[in-house]
Amino acid sequence: MFEAHFQTFEEPESGVALTARLSAFREELARRKLTGFVVPRSDQQQNEYVAPSEERLAWLTGFTGSAGLAVVLTREAAVFVDGRYTLQAAKQVDRKAWSIEALVDPPPEEWLTKHLVAGDRLGFDPWLHTTAAAERLAAACAKAKAELIAVDTNPLDAVWTERPSPPLGPVTVHGPQLSGETEHDKLTRIRREIERIGADALVLSDSHAVAWTFNIRGADVSHTPLPLSYALVPKDGRPIVFIDHRKLSNSARDHLERNADVEEPAALAPKLTELARHGAKIALDNATAAEALSRLINGAGGKPMRGPDPVSLLKAVKNATEIDGTRKAHRRDAVALVRFLAWIDREAPSGALTEIDTVEALETFRRDTGALKDVSFPTIAGAGPSGAIVHYRVTRKTNRRISPGELLLIDSGAQYQDGTTDVTRTIAIGEPTSEMRDRFTRVLRGHIAIARALFPDGTTGAQVDTLARQFLWQAGVDFEHGTGHGVGSYLSVHEGPARISKLGTTPLKRGMILSNEPGYYKTDGFGIRIENLELVVAAEIAGAEKPMNAFETLTLAPIDIRLIDTKMMSGDELRWLNDYHARVAREVRPHVDEATKVWLDAATAPLAM
């Protein structure tokens, strides 16, 4: 019925092909006199979504999650994944060839110290690891009396005979009507930061930072409009953008050359070497800059200054134009979401729909807006037990029919030129159980606690995170992911540096956009998550002794009232929900057909207080 536009549902390769690849890789390691190698799930810039040519971990192991690492030793091999991907890895990875280990606690380095032996030579590609990651590997090797070897060329690429070519997505200009600030003004602010940290120049190793600084977008990776590139911004003088010239139209090149020189990526190393020879202090982003860059600067006599990328924080605080665009994008997205939710309620009770049907339908409703550029990440559509897999991605093999009595968790987002969206709704198909209603209501109360939060300037995401978990903790349960991540402006749907999580140390500033997505997951049973995006805004509080902030909810979509146990909720919580639903109806109703209006009126009907 619906045509899928941006996603495929094919199962990753498995079986004999992967066994042969692991054998060939071990032979190549032996040829290079290496007894092991570390294969991260990353490209040179630590991007979340990587080009097909960079999917080394998936090619070797079959694991397709967005975070992970593999270590191949002579007689054993392990894949390391975090809590989001434990169930997925167990299904995708051959347990006879690989063990599946924790990525975070304990970290892979602990495994290495137990499995390396004295004299081992563990290889790594310094272009695919940050300096901090390389230092952790070196420490693990030293502990085991093994040696860490930085390779000049990646041995995995030598056996990946059908490796795709690097991407050449065309670069587009993200004009002032969308960006709200000129490149000149952004560079002025960046130079102030370079001066503040005492550097002579800054390397922008994060393509998101290059895109934001120079007001360009691209098409090199899925789901994020990235032009893979680097930039070098000196304290004085013209910056240089390093980008494959084949991506640039005449107008895109003219746009860049108004504020920067434009060079091929291969020119980055000689330019850095030249700067470093004069003893320059060159700032590197500790989150995205490859260890190879530190080695290059050190080797030429310069001083690499590792620290947070100052552009990251500048980019996270949206200006008035970006905020206005994001609000428009969410209103547009809301129309597609409401049409989709009405469609689900009509079609799902029959038992004929599958998870893939829902993914294709939602993409189609978004495409009907006429403004969709891409989905902002692969849609998560998990029915029943699939919903308990936090980052479940349906394939033709795993595709389930949606049955009455189940919950459907659907987490999705869109990329529009004026804004990026991300929303999760959990939908009752038929009659929910009392356990489902209890857990859903606890998640909802945590979601509302975040949405209604008031907090002073300087408050971090870690301080706010507990609000989302309190009602789950009262029942002795929790969720194993952060409560919220930053969101870009027609850029990454997962943007730093701020986040709402136990690890969120960055203060939340006005103009930041973050997700609010507590959840609950019952293994082999069901999953629940409720997600809206929130804008940090000023809060006017009479008598306040310090500047106070609040959240403005950007997402506009009904929350399934059939799953709420109103007896568990306070009057203030019900008032928030009724007010939210009244706003959804007010803003969306004029833009949908009559049948959808009828559904929307019922879905947003006020609950008795």
Side-chain angles (χ1 to χ4, degrees), residues 510-588:
R510 294 169 193 175
M512 287 180 170
I513 298 170
L514 299 113
S515 67
N516 170 9
E517 50 179 309
Y520 169 77
Y521 311 92
K522 182 178 182 180
T523 303
D524 297 328
F526 56 84
I528 293 165
R529 190 158 62 250
I530 304 168
E531 177 185 19
N532 287 342
L533 297 192
E534 313 280 357
L535 171 68
V536 182
V537 295
E540 299 301 327
I541 301 173
E545 296 179 356
K546 51 179 65 181
M548 297 293 293
N549 301 314
F551 289 119
E552 173 196 322
T553 299
L554 297 167
T555 307
L556 297 166
I559 293 166
D560 195 339
I561 56 180
R562 297 166 298 191
L563 279 163
I564 299 171
D565 182 346
T566 55
K567 295 190 295 296
M568 294 173 64
M569 295 181 68
S570 71
D572 284 343
E573 290 166 342
L574 286 168
R575 191 173 296 107
W576 180 92
L577 184 67
N578 288 340
D579 289 347
Y580 175 70
H581 276 157
R583 181 181 158 217
V584 170
R586 187 168 62 249
E587 298 205 29
V588 177

Side-chain angles (χ1 to χ4, degrees), residues 37 62 68 140 225 307 364 438 559 591:
F37 200 80
T364 300
D438 176 273
I559 293 166
H591 306 289

Side-chain angles (χ1 to χ4, degrees), residues 49 67 89 102 108 118 158 189 195 280 290 346 369 394 404 406 427 448 459 469 471 513 580 585 598 600:
Y49 298 111
R189 290 205 282 149
E195 198 161 340
R346 282 197 310 272
T369 65
V394 60
E406 290 186 335
I427 305 156
I448 293 171
T459 300
R469 301 175 188 272
F471 305 106
I513 298 170
Y580 175 70
V598 171
L600 181 61

Side-chain angles (χ1 to χ4, degrees), residues 330-340 556 588 591-592:
H330 278 84
R331 283 194 291 271
R332 182 186 310 119
D333 206 46
V335 175
L337 284 165
V338 166
R339 291 181 63 207
F340 167 77
L556 297 166
V588 177
H591 306 289
V592 295

